[in-house]
Structure formats: structure tokens, C-alpha cells
Amino acid sequence: MQLQLDNNKKELKSHGTYAFPVNVSYEQLSRYERKSFLWHWHKEIELTILLQGEMQYQVNDTIYHLQAGEGLFCNSNRLHTGSSCHDSDCIYISTTFHPRFLYGYEDSVIQNKYLNTITKHPGLHSLAFSPDIPWQKEVLDELSAIWMLSKQPSATYEMELQWRLTHIWMFLWNHLSHQTSSSGNSESKHTDRLKNILMYIQEHYAEKITLADIAATANICQSECCRFFKKHMNESLFDYLLSFRIEKSLPLLVDQQLSITEISNLCGFSSSSYYTKVFREHMGCTPTAYQAGHFV
């Protein structure tokens, strides 16, 4: 499987309902193609705790190497992605919730004083939780309790979940809200620029794309575009484009309604032979072998 995104890289998955905007989910990286989930963002705040394995988790241009027992806070509207380490699996619990689950109604004191100071702070995009730091261990304990609660909901499940998330937010506010970041505005600008590049690739991956095209959508020169992308994505622009095209070809292979040549053309490759070469480099097998492995 893979995440469903719109053209702006916003995740389309529902994180709870309007009346109860929270989702607690058991996740495994092996459920995703290539053991990684695509770059995306959403309005909801995301809290993660690893149960088994390791994960490389990236938020904007910050990369975290998380291990079992550790966790992460990913702020609202921040670009993030995750992938396995050493091709191993990773099991983790993801708790996502809309900020209004804590502040109640628009322009409340809780929203303005406690939520907005973090969610709207351009320099506060994420934070890793370590069990070696006392207050962060308490956050991790709360996330574990939330997972156990979701498996066996009590009669007061909704209120207890809100209470535990509020408790976590109190820790975050006490330790993060007074931080200042002189690079905050530039970080916000960088995030917008990165979203524009990713959105352009998603919309035009099936076409012939030039570096000049991508640089133009980011309003920077070609050399700066390459440097910027490499810095913030930890891979070259060309490698990301190829990887994204391979990713888009996987469901077409599984569907088995099109030929390899047709799939390569639909995903932006100049020829089926080049597609096969790149596919082998990324997936460790040919498109035909991958297709055969998914035949039922």
C-alpha cells in the first residue's frame, strides 16, 4: 500500500471524524511499498512511538534515527516521511489529532495561549523523544497508555484520551513554547519552496521534466535548486524523481492490465529498457519479476 495524497502532498486519509478528530493506529513499514511512506503533510499533529525496529524519520530537513522505545512529535502542516533502516521492518504507533481536539473552539484562550504558540511557530517543526530524558519519558509513557487505551476503550475513552493528549501538550508547551528561532521565517519559506518542487514533480512526473522547469517553479536558479533540494531532502533531485516514478509504477505492475512498455511510458521513462534498469537498481529485481511476485 501507499499513502493517498492530493496534488499539494496533503494526505487524504481521515484522521478521525469532525466530532472526534483523533486517530490511534498500529503501523508497520513493511505494509508500505519499499518499506517507506511518501512525503506528505496534514493539519493534524502526529505523535509516534516505536515498538519494534528502527526508522529513519525526516521532518522538513531534519533527519531522525529512531529506535524502539523512542518517539517523535511532528507539528501541524510539516512535511514528513519515514523509511526503514537496513531494510528491516519497524512497528510503531501513530497518534494523530486535530489541534481543536484540545482547544475546543476558535479564538479560545487555550488555542491562542497554548496551541498556536507551537503549531504556528515556523521554527518548531518536530522533536524526538528519548526515554533517557525524564519529561520525554513521561510523554512516551503517555503514548504507550494511549495505545493500550485504544485497544481496550473504557467507558470514558474519549475523555481519557483527551486528558492524556492534553497532558502531553503541557509537557511540550512547557519545554518548547518559549523557544525563539531567528531562522523561523526562512524555514517557512524553505518549506513552501520544497512543497512547490514536490508538487510539480507529482503533477508532471509522467512527462519529460527538465531541471529548468523545476527551478522555475521554485523561483531559483538551476544550481541553487539542486543544492537546495539535496540539503533538505538528503538526496539529489534526479534520484528523487526516478524514485518517485518507480513508486508510481508499482500499483500499475500489480494491477497487471498494462505492458511493461506502457507502464514505463505512463511513468515518465524514455524507454522500457531504461525503466527496467532503474527498477532493478531500486527494487533489486526486474519489473516482470516484481509483477510475477504479486500474481494471485
Side-chain angles (χ1 to χ4, degrees):
M1 71 172 189
Q2 194 47 268
L3 299 178
Q4 298 300 308
L5 312 176
D6 67 12
N7 288 337
N8 292 315
K9 290 289 183 180
K10 182 179 181 181
E11 187 178 11
L12 297 176
K13 172 184 174 181
S14 175
H15 299 272
T17 64
Y18 180 82
F20 191 67
V22 186
N23 185 53
V24 182
S25 59
Y26 176 94
E27 303 285 350
Q28 286 183 255
L29 281 181
S30 58
R31 292 177 176 174
Y32 295 96
E33 297 288 355
R34 305 173 67 192
K35 295 180 182 176
S36 64
F37 54 83
L38 297 171
W39 281 95
H40 68 287
W41 61 275
H42 40 70
K43 177 70 174 179
E44 293 78 13
I45 294 153
E46 186 160 3
L47 299 168
T48 302
I49 181 169
L50 272 65
L51 302 184
Q52 295 179 29
E54 305 173 46
M55 185 199 309
Q56 180 172 287
Y57 202 118
Q58 184 170 350
V59 184
N60 290 354
D61 60 346
T62 302
I63 300 173
Y64 302 94
H65 185 174
L66 302 178
Q67 302 184 44
E70 298 177 334
L72 189 84
F73 156 68
C74 179
N75 210 347
S76 172
N77 295 325
R78 269 52 171 195
L79 279 167
H80 54 286
T81 183
S83 59
S84 68
C85 296
H86 318 299
D87 200 36
S88 60
D89 199 4
C90 177
I91 298 175
Y92 59 101
I93 305 302
S94 173
T95 301
T96 52
F97 63 97
H98 194 286
R100 64 179 169 79
F101 184 63
L102 300 187
Y103 66 67
Y105 58 90
E106 292 295 324
D107 209 30
S108 67
V109 171
I110 302 299
Q111 180 187 21
N112 292 326
K113 182 176 180 179
Y114 298 103
L115 272 297
N116 287 352
T117 49
I118 293 179
T119 61
K120 295 186 180 300
H121 193 307
L124 298 177
H125 54 73
S126 57
L127 177 71
F129 299 129
S130 168
D132 297 329
I133 299 175
W135 77 268
Q136 294 181 9
K137 182 179 185 305
E138 293 200 51
V139 170
L140 292 167
D141 289 344
E142 289 286 12
L143 290 176
S144 296
I146 286 173
W147 168 234
M148 298 304 295
L149 179 66
S150 70
K151 290 200 297 183
Q152 294 183 317
S154 63
T156 56
Y157 169 69
E158 294 83 2
M159 291 185 67
E160 186 173 349
L161 184 56
Q162 185 184 50
W163 180 84
R164 291 191 179 279
L165 287 174
T166 299
H167 194 204
I168 290 174
W169 200 261
M170 288 171 62
F171 281 117
L172 289 172
W173 189 84
N174 283 329
H175 290 86
L176 297 180
S177 64
H178 305 299
Q179 290 186 15
T180 57
S181 173
S182 58
S183 61
N185 290 333
S186 62
E187 285 190 22
S188 180
K189 180 180 178 181
H190 291 164
T191 299
D192 290 341
R193 177 176 290 168
L194 190 57
K195 283 183 179 179
N196 287 339
I197 293 175
L198 295 175
M199 182 172 65
Y200 184 86
I201 290 174
Q202 178 165 322
E203 291 178 344
H204 300 279
Y205 72 91
E207 307 165 14
K208 180 180 179 180
I209 298 178
T210 67
L211 178 57
D213 295 330
I214 298 174
T217 198
N219 198 29
I220 50 179
C221 69
Q222 295 182 41
S223 60
E224 172 62 14
C225 184
C226 292
R227 185 204 65 79
F228 169 82
F229 195 89
K230 177 72 173 179
K231 175 183 176 182
H232 290 273
M233 296 289 286
N234 201 38
E235 65 179 323
S236 73
L237 183 55
F238 182 67
D239 286 343
Y240 177 83
L241 175 59
L242 289 180
S243 181
F244 187 81
R245 283 171 166 166
I246 293 295
E247 190 79 46
K248 300 300 287 188
S249 77
L250 298 180
L252 298 177
L253 289 170
V254 173
D255 187 54
Q256 302 191 26
Q257 298 298 311
L258 301 173
S259 69
I260 301 300
T261 298
E262 289 172 322
I263 292 173
S264 67
N265 290 336
L266 285 173
C267 294
F269 289 95
S270 57
S271 67
S272 59
S273 60
Y274 181 55
Y275 169 57
T276 298
K277 175 179 180 293
V278 175
F279 193 96
R280 187 192 294 273
E281 292 172 352
H282 281 75
M283 303 298 295
C285 65
T286 66
T288 303
Y290 181 88
Q291 194 174 52
H294 285 77
F295 179 76
V296 179

